[in-house]
Amino acid sequence: MGSYSNLIQRTESTLQRWLTRRQHHYSDSSTLDRKHIFIIPTRAGVCLGALLFLMLLTSLNYMNSMSMLLTFFVAGIAFNSAWLTYLNLKDLTVSRVSQKNLFVGEQGTFRIKVNNPTKRDRYGLVFRERNENLILHDVQAGDEIQVKMPITPERRGEYKLRRFAIATRMPVGIFNAWSWQTLKTSLWVFPEPIPNHPAPFAASGDDGECAPTSSQGEEFSNLRDYSQGDSIKHIAWKQQARHQKLLTKEFSESTSGSISLSWDFYSELDTETRLSYLCYWVLEAEKQNLEFSLSLPDDFYPTNSGEKHTQDCLLALARYPA
Amino acid sequence: MFKNKHSLPESPIRQNTLKTLFLALLIAGFPHFFNLPIWVTSVFFACILLKYYLVSIEKDKAAPYIPILLAIPIISLVYFQFGTLLGIEASISLLVVMLGLKVFELSDYRDAMLSLFLGFFVVVTVFLFQQQLIIALYLLICGFMLTLSLLKLNDYTGRQPHRQQIKTTFELSVGSIPIILILFFIFPRLDSPLWSLPGSNGQAQTGMSESMSPGNFTKLVQSSAPAFRATFNQKAPAQDELYWRGPVLENFDGKRWSRTKSIAKISETNESNTVENIGDAFSYQITLEAHQNRWVFPLDMAIDSGKDAITNSLGETLSKEVIRKTSQFEFSSATTFSFDSNAHGTKLSAALRLPTRTAPKTRALAEKLFLEVNGDKKRFVDRVLSRFTEMPYAYTLEPKPMSSDYIDSFMTDTMEGFCEHYSSSFVVMMRAVGIPARVVTGYQGGEYNEHGDYYLIRQSDAHAWTEIWLAGEGWIRKDPTSMVSPERVNQGIESAFAGSNLLPSTIRISFLKKLNMRWDTMNYYWSKWVISYNNTLRTDLINRFKSLMKSIGKQLVISLTTLALLVFITLILKQFFLSSKSSTSEEESLYRRFIKHNNKIYDTEKKQSETELQYANRLSNKNSEHAKEIQAITSRYLAIRYGNQESTSELKKLKESISEYCSLSLSQQAAAS
């Protein structure tokens, strides 16, 4: 018994090694070539095989040349269909494309480019990853498509594309060909933004005041003459009395006051919640066009604003060791 | 590891897919109308047509209980029809009916696939009954249709154009031709069946019977079905010598002529060959159509019957096995010979017997004529034969009604008859005066086909003639029919009945006749090379191939080796050149050119660890006047390489900007130096 399971184990590991040898190393793109395409009969194929045997036996027994011819015709079709199934995959290339990063729990897609540089249209390609995601595609000759694999990441961090398979049963359904592929492509999963109060502003502007949470969310900068169309809310009524004319308060887009988001603010919470809370405020700050800085235990992002800054900060949150 | 094979989605079944499948199955099952009881095929057709209708009005509700309910009554019906479920016809009937029911309850992909595969099996069973070329062509269409529906069934997305599917079907079919040919010609055959072949009694084939009574031949002569074909190795005998000898009938009961011995006894023959004084020998092959009996019809008289047939002392030839499929025989025959010249006593007594009350008038006539020639047997024979021409005897397929003693009625009253009347009357006359005589049946004549260089003998060429025995000469062939209708023997049955509409119309119109000849040539080669292909022929072919290989072996080996070597070298070279190129895309090679150029002019090499952007920054610092171009090239390259916009126009732009950059910096450097 023991030696038997041992044998199975050894066989399996040998098989696995062989399979690994036959797999691509992680790269930007790869081609489905002869060495990486496997083919075996489907259940229907096995059924047809049994029937072919029966047909052969019948024609042999009755010494009937015509039935023999027909049996060989069906056998020929089966044989050729294996070839066509293989050709349906051969020389396709898969390559990576830029991914859109996601938040935990957000529905999104993971994309891969499948390119058909040959002159043969490909039909019924099945894309599989993690045993479930089945997506059917046709790729015309010389065309390329993007496989959009729907994902809803559940964990923060790097979402790597695992080994995936491009498979097909076309055109006849009695053979199943597939090719395992690996690509060096991943996307980042940011923490799930969780709304929370109070804001983690350890120290902000000169007066230590909380950042404005008004609808404008902007800082007053100076006064100018009123012109038609200015909001009544922005009229400086006090100054108007002094200057005898309508003046409008101007608010600058770039706030002079900045906020600092800090890891230390949530000292009593666990790591993931902290990151989620910080993530919420990074997004909030961006929404309100505030300058902000982010301090993490090993990292500090100085006060800044803009999309790149936000992305850098989100990435830092995503990368934060669990 | 192989899990994915099971989780691949089964393609949905669509209305038009099912329609194609049903059509293919209907076509495949159609020939069984002629082979199986009519109700079997009707049930099959009804099931499929009903399902077709239900599918097309989209009211197809799965009703799995109906076939289950029907299965038992149908199985018992088949049992009552055939008395067994195991016989060939019974089992095929069962298959056909069950397939019909299966189609009726079909509800998903798996059912559809199974029905389709069984469809192929139905096609195979058709060949157990019919093997003509026309059926082969018909069933080729079936195979094509079934393959097409296989493709349609497996079209997951349903987006594959119809034309593409037809193209693929052709690809598959044409691609399977070499496989078919190789397998067919080299696949070993069984010498004896694995399980016993139950006789198929249902099919009454037209063919020579072992007895003769009025009306027998009339039926046979109206069938244009081929009986056999004969190919002479060298020259062929004249048309009026083409007597294909079959059963010899010696017993007469007043109505019916029959054989003396049963077939079973023939095999034990150890009687020596009694054919002597043989003239020129003709060697030829006979390709005999299946007729579920053992008779073979060599040219009168066979002197060598090959290894598959034996000739007995009556000169009848039988195959060693029942001829269930088209089979080939090799013969050698002589047209001049003396046969059984030393026969005596008991051996001839059977050829003298006459039932006492039969044909009194004919006997009296014979005795009268015998007296007229003074008992000279030879002169008597001539006298009887010439009497057929002197008196108004006529040769017709539709003789007037005769009385129960048809010999007397024919000889003295109606004088209208067919070969069976002439031969039997002649034999009765001979026996009446003590000349041993018997009826020989077989075929006479045949149509020469110049395209295939063979004679086609149809059932309509069936004929009955006589043999008489004269001391010192043995058995001599006499054909009284030839006295009345010489054309029958010289030019064939067709000319004997020119203008009559009793013969099948296919052989009467001369325009069609030519077409018919060509068609028959194809049929001939079909039967010769396909239907009758067996182990013997296979061994023959392989031996021929071997000897061919031996004779041209050396050159062949040398040339094949050279060819293989050339192919090998080409492949290696191709691999070598392609492998250095194929891994890099066009934009990469362009970018490499850019780096190479920089390396040469500005001595700035891209480090392995450096990203493209870092490299571009470093380069711009060093070569500030071209900073803009460098950045533009880099971002364009990155967009193509990693972005999503791989297009030829972008590539072209990249190429242009790189070459512009190169030439610009080159000219500047030249100016500087």
Side-chain angles (χ1 to χ4, degrees), chain A residues 15 19 51 61-66 80 128 138 146 169-173 176, chain B residues 1 7-8 117 127 131 150 154 156-157 159 172 175-176 194-195 197 526 530 644:
Chain A
L15 199 63
L19 282 173
L51 194 81
N61 192 64
Y62 289 94
M63 292 185 235
N64 191 313
S65 294
M66 308 268 302
N80 285 334
R128 290 168 42 82
D138 295 338
Q146 268 197 17
R169 276 201 326 210
M170 295 285 269
V172 176
N176 177 26
Chain B
M1 179 173 35
S7 50
L8 269 188
F117 292 161
F127 289 128
Q131 295 203 58
L150 189 61
N154 284 287
Y156 298 81
T157 50
R159 284 196 289 262
L172 283 170
S176 63
L194 289 175
W195 64 86
L197 302 160
W526 181 251
V530 179
N644 207 356

mmCIF file of all heavy atoms in Angstrom, chain A residues 15 19 51 61-66 80 128 138 146 169-173 176, chain B residues 1 7-8 117 127 131 150 154 156-157 159 172 175-176 194-195 197 526 530 644:
data_model
loop_
_atom_site.group_PDB
_atom_site.id
_atom_site.type_symbol
_atom_site.label_atom_id
_atom_site.label_comp_id
_atom_site.label_asym_id
_atom_site.label_seq_id
_atom_site.Cartn_x
_atom_site.Cartn_y
_atom_site.Cartn_z
ATOM 1 N N LEU A 15 5.648 13.827 -13.564
ATOM 2 C CA LEU A 15 4.734 14.447 -14.509
ATOM 3 C C LEU A 15 4.732 15.960 -14.331
ATOM 4 O O LEU A 15 4.764 16.718 -15.293
ATOM 5 C CB LEU A 15 3.327 13.878 -14.274
ATOM 6 C CG LEU A 15 2.347 14.039 -15.412
ATOM 7 C CD1 LEU A 15 2.841 13.275 -16.629
ATOM 8 C CD2 LEU A 15 0.990 13.514 -14.993
ATOM 9 N N LEU A 19 5.693 18.777 -16.929
ATOM 10 C CA LEU A 19 4.756 19.839 -17.280
ATOM 11 C C LEU A 19 5.397 21.205 -17.080
ATOM 12 O O LEU A 19 5.272 22.091 -17.907
ATOM 13 C CB LEU A 19 3.496 19.740 -16.428
ATOM 14 C CG LEU A 19 2.517 18.661 -16.858
ATOM 15 C CD1 LEU A 19 1.407 18.534 -15.844
ATOM 16 C CD2 LEU A 19 1.954 18.972 -18.223
ATOM 17 N N LEU A 51 -17.314 3.421 -30.692
ATOM 18 C CA LEU A 51 -18.221 3.130 -31.804
ATOM 19 C C LEU A 51 -17.437 2.725 -33.055
ATOM 20 O O LEU A 51 -17.825 1.814 -33.780
ATOM 21 C CB LEU A 51 -19.070 4.360 -32.093
ATOM 22 C CG LEU A 51 -20.255 4.070 -32.977
ATOM 23 C CD1 LEU A 51 -21.375 3.485 -32.154
ATOM 24 C CD2 LEU A 51 -20.695 5.295 -33.700
ATOM 25 N N ASN A 61 -16.148 -8.612 -39.624
ATOM 26 C CA ASN A 61 -16.858 -9.869 -39.473
ATOM 27 C C ASN A 61 -17.655 -10.211 -40.722
ATOM 28 O O ASN A 61 -17.655 -11.342 -41.169
ATOM 29 C CB ASN A 61 -17.777 -9.796 -38.271
ATOM 30 C CG ASN A 61 -18.305 -11.155 -37.922
ATOM 31 O OD1 ASN A 61 -17.548 -12.030 -37.566
ATOM 32 N ND2 ASN A 61 -19.595 -11.340 -38.076
ATOM 33 N N TYR A 62 -18.322 -9.201 -41.280
ATOM 34 C CA TYR A 62 -19.122 -9.469 -42.469
ATOM 35 C C TYR A 62 -18.288 -9.338 -43.732
ATOM 36 O O TYR A 62 -18.821 -9.392 -44.824
ATOM 37 C CB TYR A 62 -20.339 -8.545 -42.506
ATOM 38 C CG TYR A 62 -21.345 -8.917 -41.451
ATOM 39 C CD1 TYR A 62 -21.350 -8.309 -40.212
ATOM 40 C CD2 TYR A 62 -22.265 -9.931 -41.689
ATOM 41 C CE1 TYR A 62 -22.243 -8.685 -39.233
ATOM 42 C CE2 TYR A 62 -23.162 -10.305 -40.712
ATOM 43 C CZ TYR A 62 -23.148 -9.694 -39.489
ATOM 44 O OH TYR A 62 -24.024 -10.078 -38.532
ATOM 45 N N MET A 63 -17.002 -9.127 -43.541
ATOM 46 C CA MET A 63 -16.074 -8.967 -44.659
ATOM 47 C C MET A 63 -16.632 -7.998 -45.684
ATOM 48 O O MET A 63 -16.686 -8.265 -46.871
ATOM 49 C CB MET A 63 -15.783 -10.317 -45.302
ATOM 50 C CG MET A 63 -14.997 -11.216 -44.376
ATOM 51 S SD MET A 63 -14.547 -12.714 -45.195
ATOM 52 C CE MET A 63 -15.196 -13.920 -44.094
ATOM 53 N N ASN A 64 -17.111 -6.894 -45.151
ATOM 54 C CA ASN A 64 -17.786 -5.933 -45.999
ATOM 55 C C ASN A 64 -16.858 -4.755 -46.256
ATOM 56 O O ASN A 64 -16.597 -3.941 -45.385
ATOM 57 C CB ASN A 64 -19.059 -5.487 -45.289
ATOM 58 C CG ASN A 64 -19.945 -4.701 -46.185
ATOM 59 O OD1 ASN A 64 -19.483 -3.796 -46.861
ATOM 60 N ND2 ASN A 64 -21.208 -5.049 -46.209
ATOM 61 N N SER A 65 -16.356 -4.694 -47.472
ATOM 62 C CA SER A 65 -15.356 -3.670 -47.790
ATOM 63 C C SER A 65 -15.917 -2.264 -47.695
ATOM 64 O O SER A 65 -15.225 -1.340 -47.302
ATOM 65 C CB SER A 65 -14.835 -3.887 -49.201
ATOM 66 O OG SER A 65 -14.132 -5.082 -49.257
ATOM 67 N N MET A 66 -17.188 -2.130 -48.055
ATOM 68 C CA MET A 66 -17.762 -0.785 -48.058
ATOM 69 C C MET A 66 -17.907 -0.245 -46.638
ATOM 70 O O MET A 66 -17.614 0.913 -46.382
ATOM 71 C CB MET A 66 -19.131 -0.814 -48.720
ATOM 72 C CG MET A 66 -19.110 -1.451 -50.056
ATOM 73 S SD MET A 66 -18.860 -0.271 -51.320
ATOM 74 C CE MET A 66 -20.220 0.778 -51.036
ATOM 75 N N ASN A 80 -8.201 13.804 -38.475
ATOM 76 C CA ASN A 80 -7.975 15.151 -38.986
ATOM 77 C C ASN A 80 -8.525 16.212 -38.057
ATOM 78 O O ASN A 80 -8.000 17.319 -37.997
ATOM 79 C CB ASN A 80 -8.626 15.311 -40.353
ATOM 80 C CG ASN A 80 -7.830 14.620 -41.407
ATOM 81 O OD1 ASN A 80 -6.628 14.456 -41.255
ATOM 82 N ND2 ASN A 80 -8.477 14.188 -42.453
ATOM 83 N N ARG A 128 -9.363 30.140 -19.479
ATOM 84 C CA ARG A 128 -9.621 29.664 -18.133
ATOM 85 C C ARG A 128 -8.503 30.087 -17.217
ATOM 86 O O ARG A 128 -7.342 29.944 -17.541
ATOM 87 C CB ARG A 128 -9.613 28.138 -18.092
ATOM 88 C CG ARG A 128 -10.730 27.455 -18.745
ATOM 89 C CD ARG A 128 -10.378 25.978 -18.840
ATOM 90 N NE ARG A 128 -9.766 25.513 -17.618
ATOM 91 C CZ ARG A 128 -10.428 25.158 -16.540
ATOM 92 N NH1 ARG A 128 -11.711 25.194 -16.539
ATOM 93 N NH2 ARG A 128 -9.795 24.760 -15.480
ATOM 94 N N ASP A 138 -14.002 34.309 -30.257
ATOM 95 C CA ASP A 138 -13.570 34.017 -31.620
ATOM 96 C C ASP A 138 -12.524 35.064 -31.967
ATOM 97 O O ASP A 138 -12.671 36.217 -31.583
ATOM 98 C CB ASP A 138 -14.734 34.147 -32.603
ATOM 99 C CG ASP A 138 -15.811 33.123 -32.339
ATOM 100 O OD1 ASP A 138 -15.501 32.100 -31.719
ATOM 101 O OD2 ASP A 138 -16.943 33.347 -32.764
ATOM 102 N N GLN A 146 -9.071 41.428 -26.709
ATOM 103 C CA GLN A 146 -8.673 41.499 -25.309
ATOM 104 C C GLN A 146 -9.593 40.594 -24.522
ATOM 105 O O GLN A 146 -10.810 40.708 -24.586
ATOM 106 C CB GLN A 146 -8.807 42.931 -24.811
ATOM 107 C CG GLN A 146 -7.517 43.692 -24.985
ATOM 108 C CD GLN A 146 -7.487 44.956 -24.138
ATOM 109 O OE1 GLN A 146 -8.251 45.113 -23.207
ATOM 110 N NE2 GLN A 146 -6.579 45.845 -24.493
ATOM 111 N N ARG A 169 -12.295 23.146 -28.197
ATOM 112 C CA ARG A 169 -12.777 21.841 -28.639
ATOM 113 C C ARG A 169 -13.234 21.895 -30.086
ATOM 114 O O ARG A 169 -13.719 20.916 -30.625
ATOM 115 C CB ARG A 169 -13.958 21.395 -27.775
ATOM 116 C CG ARG A 169 -13.524 20.741 -26.511
ATOM 117 C CD ARG A 169 -14.576 19.873 -25.924
ATOM 118 N NE ARG A 169 -15.917 20.386 -26.144
ATOM 119 C CZ ARG A 169 -16.922 20.163 -25.304
ATOM 120 N NH1 ARG A 169 -16.722 19.472 -24.225
ATOM 121 N NH2 ARG A 169 -18.119 20.618 -25.558
ATOM 122 N N MET A 170 -13.094 23.049 -30.668
ATOM 123 C CA MET A 170 -13.503 23.202 -32.057
ATOM 124 C C MET A 170 -12.569 22.378 -32.913
ATOM 125 O O MET A 170 -11.430 22.170 -32.526
ATOM 126 C CB MET A 170 -13.413 24.668 -32.460
ATOM 127 C CG MET A 170 -14.374 25.521 -31.690
ATOM 128 S SD MET A 170 -16.043 25.292 -32.279
ATOM 129 C CE MET A 170 -16.119 26.547 -33.517
ATOM 130 N N PRO A 171 -12.953 21.972 -34.098
ATOM 131 C CA PRO A 171 -14.258 22.220 -34.692
ATOM 132 C C PRO A 171 -15.249 21.078 -34.450
ATOM 133 O O PRO A 171 -16.414 21.255 -34.744
ATOM 134 C CB PRO A 171 -13.927 22.328 -36.178
ATOM 135 C CG PRO A 171 -12.755 21.432 -36.352
ATOM 136 C CD PRO A 171 -12.011 21.424 -35.050
ATOM 137 N N VAL A 172 -14.794 19.941 -33.959
ATOM 138 C CA VAL A 172 -15.662 18.775 -34.003
ATOM 139 C C VAL A 172 -16.071 18.291 -32.607
ATOM 140 O O VAL A 172 -16.993 17.520 -32.456
ATOM 141 C CB VAL A 172 -14.974 17.657 -34.821
ATOM 142 C CG1 VAL A 172 -15.766 16.397 -34.837
ATOM 143 C CG2 VAL A 172 -14.772 18.117 -36.243
ATOM 144 N N GLY A 173 -15.371 18.769 -31.590
ATOM 145 C CA GLY A 173 -15.801 18.431 -30.238
ATOM 146 C C GLY A 173 -15.373 17.059 -29.769
ATOM 147 O O GLY A 173 -15.808 16.608 -28.726
ATOM 148 N N ASN A 176 -9.947 17.785 -27.299
ATOM 149 C CA ASN A 176 -9.824 18.977 -26.487
ATOM 150 C C ASN A 176 -8.348 19.345 -26.461
ATOM 151 O O ASN A 176 -7.527 18.568 -26.006
ATOM 152 C CB ASN A 176 -10.347 18.658 -25.084
ATOM 153 C CG ASN A 176 -10.195 19.825 -24.162
ATOM 154 O OD1 ASN A 176 -10.161 20.965 -24.614
ATOM 155 N ND2 ASN A 176 -10.084 19.538 -22.882
ATOM 156 N N MET B 1 -5.405 17.897 -12.900
ATOM 157 C CA MET B 1 -4.588 18.371 -14.021
ATOM 158 C C MET B 1 -5.384 18.395 -15.314
ATOM 159 O O MET B 1 -5.324 19.333 -16.087
ATOM 160 C CB MET B 1 -3.383 17.448 -14.145
ATOM 161 C CG MET B 1 -2.473 17.809 -15.257
ATOM 162 S SD MET B 1 -1.002 16.799 -15.175
ATOM 163 C CE MET B 1 -1.632 15.261 -14.590
ATOM 164 N N SER B 7 -14.824 20.576 -17.532
ATOM 165 C CA SER B 7 -15.526 21.805 -17.243
ATOM 166 C C SER B 7 -15.662 22.707 -18.470
ATOM 167 O O SER B 7 -16.243 23.766 -18.387
ATOM 168 C CB SER B 7 -14.846 22.549 -16.112
ATOM 169 O OG SER B 7 -13.481 22.655 -16.381
ATOM 170 N N LEU B 8 -15.136 22.268 -19.600
ATOM 171 C CA LEU B 8 -15.364 23.047 -20.811
ATOM 172 C C LEU B 8 -16.859 23.046 -21.107
ATOM 173 O O LEU B 8 -17.516 22.033 -20.956
ATOM 174 C CB LEU B 8 -14.638 22.416 -22.000
ATOM 175 C CG LEU B 8 -13.224 22.875 -22.282
ATOM 176 C CD1 LEU B 8 -12.767 22.290 -23.592
ATOM 177 C CD2 LEU B 8 -13.147 24.378 -22.363
ATOM 178 N N PHE B 117 -23.449 9.957 -33.861
ATOM 179 C CA PHE B 117 -22.520 8.834 -33.992
ATOM 180 C C PHE B 117 -23.268 7.588 -34.435
ATOM 181 O O PHE B 117 -22.792 6.825 -35.286
ATOM 182 C CB PHE B 117 -21.811 8.567 -32.665
ATOM 183 C CG PHE B 117 -20.851 9.656 -32.260
ATOM 184 C CD1 PHE B 117 -20.422 9.793 -30.956
ATOM 185 C CD2 PHE B 117 -20.356 10.544 -33.198
ATOM 186 C CE1 PHE B 117 -19.542 10.789 -30.581
ATOM 187 C CE2 PHE B 117 -19.480 11.552 -32.847
ATOM 188 C CZ PHE B 117 -19.076 11.674 -31.533
ATOM 189 N N PHE B 127 -24.585 -0.856 -45.801
ATOM 190 C CA PHE B 127 -23.683 -1.593 -46.685
ATOM 191 C C PHE B 127 -23.782 -3.106 -46.512
ATOM 192 O O PHE B 127 -23.333 -3.847 -47.374
ATOM 193 C CB PHE B 127 -22.237 -1.163 -46.458
ATOM 194 C CG PHE B 127 -21.950 0.203 -46.970
ATOM 195 C CD1 PHE B 127 -21.368 1.156 -46.166
ATOM 196 C CD2 PHE B 127 -22.268 0.538 -48.276
ATOM 197 C CE1 PHE B 127 -21.105 2.414 -46.639
ATOM 198 C CE2 PHE B 127 -22.006 1.796 -48.759
ATOM 199 C CZ PHE B 127 -21.428 2.743 -47.930
ATOM 200 N N GLN B 131 -24.250 -2.820 -51.857
ATOM 201 C CA GLN B 131 -22.858 -2.401 -51.993
ATOM 202 C C GLN B 131 -22.561 -1.749 -53.324
ATOM 203 O O GLN B 131 -21.416 -1.584 -53.682
ATOM 204 C CB GLN B 131 -21.926 -3.597 -51.831
ATOM 205 C CG GLN B 131 -21.965 -4.190 -50.461
ATOM 206 C CD GLN B 131 -20.702 -4.946 -50.180
ATOM 207 O OE1 GLN B 131 -19.618 -4.400 -50.228
ATOM 208 N NE2 GLN B 131 -20.828 -6.218 -49.882
ATOM 209 N N LEU B 150 -21.995 17.611 -37.311
ATOM 210 C CA LEU B 150 -21.049 17.497 -36.193
ATOM 211 C C LEU B 150 -20.385 18.848 -35.942
ATOM 212 O O LEU B 150 -20.250 19.300 -34.803
ATOM 213 C CB LEU B 150 -20.000 16.436 -36.533
ATOM 214 C CG LEU B 150 -19.040 16.014 -35.436
ATOM 215 C CD1 LEU B 150 -19.792 15.408 -34.286
ATOM 216 C CD2 LEU B 150 -18.026 15.015 -35.956
ATOM 217 N N ASN B 154 -20.963 21.543 -32.633
ATOM 218 C CA ASN B 154 -19.868 21.925 -31.767
ATOM 219 C C ASN B 154 -19.452 23.379 -31.916
ATOM 220 O O ASN B 154 -18.410 23.767 -31.432
ATOM 221 C CB ASN B 154 -18.671 21.010 -32.012
ATOM 222 C CG ASN B 154 -18.896 19.680 -31.382
ATOM 223 O OD1 ASN B 154 -18.839 19.539 -30.182
ATOM 224 N ND2 ASN B 154 -19.210 18.686 -32.195
ATOM 225 N N TYR B 156 -19.632 26.434 -30.521
ATOM 226 C CA TYR B 156 -20.056 27.015 -29.241
ATOM 227 C C TYR B 156 -20.784 28.333 -29.410
ATOM 228 O O TYR B 156 -21.840 28.551 -28.868
ATOM 229 C CB TYR B 156 -18.864 27.408 -28.372
ATOM 230 C CG TYR B 156 -17.928 26.368 -27.927
ATOM 231 C CD1 TYR B 156 -16.930 25.906 -28.750
ATOM 232 C CD2 TYR B 156 -18.022 25.874 -26.645
ATOM 233 C CE1 TYR B 156 -16.034 24.971 -28.316
ATOM 234 C CE2 TYR B 156 -17.120 24.938 -26.204
ATOM 235 C CZ TYR B 156 -16.130 24.501 -27.037
ATOM 236 O OH TYR B 156 -15.244 23.584 -26.598
ATOM 237 N N THR B 157 -20.098 29.237 -30.100
ATOM 238 C CA THR B 157 -20.586 30.604 -30.101
ATOM 239 C C THR B 157 -21.658 30.822 -31.157
ATOM 240 O O THR B 157 -22.364 31.812 -31.115
ATOM 241 C CB THR B 157 -19.424 31.568 -30.348
ATOM 242 O OG1 THR B 157 -18.697 31.110 -31.492
ATOM 243 C CG2 THR B 157 -18.500 31.601 -29.160
ATOM 244 N N ARG B 159 -21.142 31.615 -34.047
ATOM 245 C CA ARG B 159 -20.764 32.723 -34.923
ATOM 246 C C ARG B 159 -20.009 32.263 -36.151
ATOM 247 O O ARG B 159 -19.674 33.044 -37.020
ATOM 248 C CB ARG B 159 -19.902 33.714 -34.138
ATOM 249 C CG ARG B 159 -20.712 34.573 -33.190
ATOM 250 C CD ARG B 159 -19.895 35.760 -32.740
ATOM 251 N NE ARG B 159 -18.833 35.359 -31.842
ATOM 252 C CZ ARG B 159 -18.911 35.441 -30.520
ATOM 253 N NH1 ARG B 159 -19.992 35.912 -29.951
ATOM 254 N NH2 ARG B 159 -17.912 35.071 -29.751
ATOM 255 N N LEU B 172 -11.799 18.243 -43.815
ATOM 256 C CA LEU B 172 -11.776 16.988 -43.059
ATOM 257 C C LEU B 172 -11.924 15.792 -43.981
ATOM 258 O O LEU B 172 -11.193 14.807 -43.880
ATOM 259 C CB LEU B 172 -12.902 16.979 -42.033
ATOM 260 C CG LEU B 172 -12.696 17.802 -40.767
ATOM 261 C CD1 LEU B 172 -13.985 17.887 -39.989
ATOM 262 C CD2 LEU B 172 -11.619 17.190 -39.913
ATOM 263 N N GLY B 175 -8.990 15.436 -46.405
ATOM 264 C CA GLY B 175 -7.825 15.047 -45.619
ATOM 265 C C GLY B 175 -7.859 13.601 -45.182
ATOM 266 O O GLY B 175 -6.824 13.006 -44.905
ATOM 267 N N SER B 176 -9.067 13.039 -45.121
ATOM 268 C CA SER B 176 -9.134 11.656 -44.655
ATOM 269 C C SER B 176 -8.918 10.660 -45.789
ATOM 270 O O SER B 176 -8.779 9.472 -45.535
ATOM 271 C CB SER B 176 -10.462 11.394 -43.956
ATOM 272 O OG SER B 176 -11.509 11.555 -44.860
ATOM 273 N N LEU B 194 -15.843 -13.701 -37.071
ATOM 274 C CA LEU B 194 -15.706 -13.867 -35.629
ATOM 275 C C LEU B 194 -16.931 -14.526 -35.027
ATOM 276 O O LEU B 194 -16.857 -15.322 -34.133
ATOM 277 C CB LEU B 194 -15.519 -12.506 -34.965
ATOM 278 C CG LEU B 194 -14.189 -11.810 -35.187
ATOM 279 C CD1 LEU B 194 -14.214 -10.437 -34.563
ATOM 280 C CD2 LEU B 194 -13.076 -12.636 -34.585
ATOM 281 N N TRP B 195 -18.075 -14.117 -35.498
ATOM 282 C CA TRP B 195 -19.291 -14.784 -35.051
ATOM 283 C C TRP B 195 -20.048 -15.233 -36.284
ATOM 284 O O TRP B 195 -19.866 -14.697 -37.357
ATOM 285 C CB TRP B 195 -20.129 -13.885 -34.145
ATOM 286 C CG TRP B 195 -20.677 -12.651 -34.782
ATOM 287 C CD1 TRP B 195 -21.835 -12.527 -35.492
ATOM 288 C CD2 TRP B 195 -20.087 -11.345 -34.758
ATOM 289 N NE1 TRP B 195 -22.001 -11.234 -35.899
ATOM 290 C CE2 TRP B 195 -20.947 -10.491 -35.468
ATOM 291 C CE3 TRP B 195 -18.918 -10.823 -34.198
ATOM 292 C CZ2 TRP B 195 -20.674 -9.144 -35.630
ATOM 293 C CZ3 TRP B 195 -18.665 -9.474 -34.378
ATOM 294 C CH2 TRP B 195 -19.521 -8.654 -35.070
ATOM 295 N N LEU B 197 -22.522 -16.022 -39.263
ATOM 296 C CA LEU B 197 -23.353 -15.131 -40.034
ATOM 297 C C LEU B 197 -24.706 -15.782 -40.238
ATOM 298 O O LEU B 197 -24.808 -16.744 -40.983
ATOM 299 C CB LEU B 197 -22.708 -14.863 -41.394
ATOM 300 C CG LEU B 197 -21.320 -14.267 -41.355
ATOM 301 C CD1 LEU B 197 -20.633 -14.496 -42.667
ATOM 302 C CD2 LEU B 197 -21.383 -12.800 -41.032
ATOM 303 N N TRP B 526 -15.148 -0.722 -59.303
ATOM 304 C CA TRP B 526 -15.590 -0.630 -57.913
ATOM 305 C C TRP B 526 -15.677 -2.028 -57.301
ATOM 306 O O TRP B 526 -15.118 -2.303 -56.253
ATOM 307 C CB TRP B 526 -16.936 0.080 -57.875
ATOM 308 C CG TRP B 526 -17.487 0.262 -56.507
ATOM 309 C CD1 TRP B 526 -18.555 -0.385 -55.970
ATOM 310 C CD2 TRP B 526 -17.007 1.145 -55.507
ATOM 311 N NE1 TRP B 526 -18.771 0.044 -54.704
ATOM 312 C CE2 TRP B 526 -17.826 0.981 -54.381
ATOM 313 C CE3 TRP B 526 -15.956 2.056 -55.439
ATOM 314 C CZ2 TRP B 526 -17.630 1.695 -53.207
ATOM 315 C CZ3 TRP B 526 -15.768 2.765 -54.277
ATOM 316 C CH2 TRP B 526 -16.594 2.582 -53.186
ATOM 317 N N VAL B 530 -12.809 -2.704 -54.784
ATOM 318 C CA VAL B 530 -13.279 -2.346 -53.447
ATOM 319 C C VAL B 530 -14.114 -3.452 -52.818
ATOM 320 O O VAL B 530 -13.757 -4.000 -51.791
ATOM 321 C CB VAL B 530 -14.060 -1.018 -53.468
ATOM 322 C CG1 VAL B 530 -14.550 -0.687 -52.081
ATOM 323 C CG2 VAL B 530 -13.175 0.090 -53.986
ATOM 324 N N ASN B 644 -1.667 49.623 -25.652
ATOM 325 C CA ASN B 644 -2.735 48.843 -26.246
ATOM 326 C C ASN B 644 -2.911 49.184 -27.709
ATOM 327 O O ASN B 644 -3.877 48.779 -28.334
ATOM 328 C CB ASN B 644 -4.007 49.168 -25.472
ATOM 329 C CG ASN B 644 -4.938 48.013 -25.549
ATOM 330 O OD1 ASN B 644 -4.653 47.044 -26.231
ATOM 331 N ND2 ASN B 644 -6.030 48.118 -24.858
#
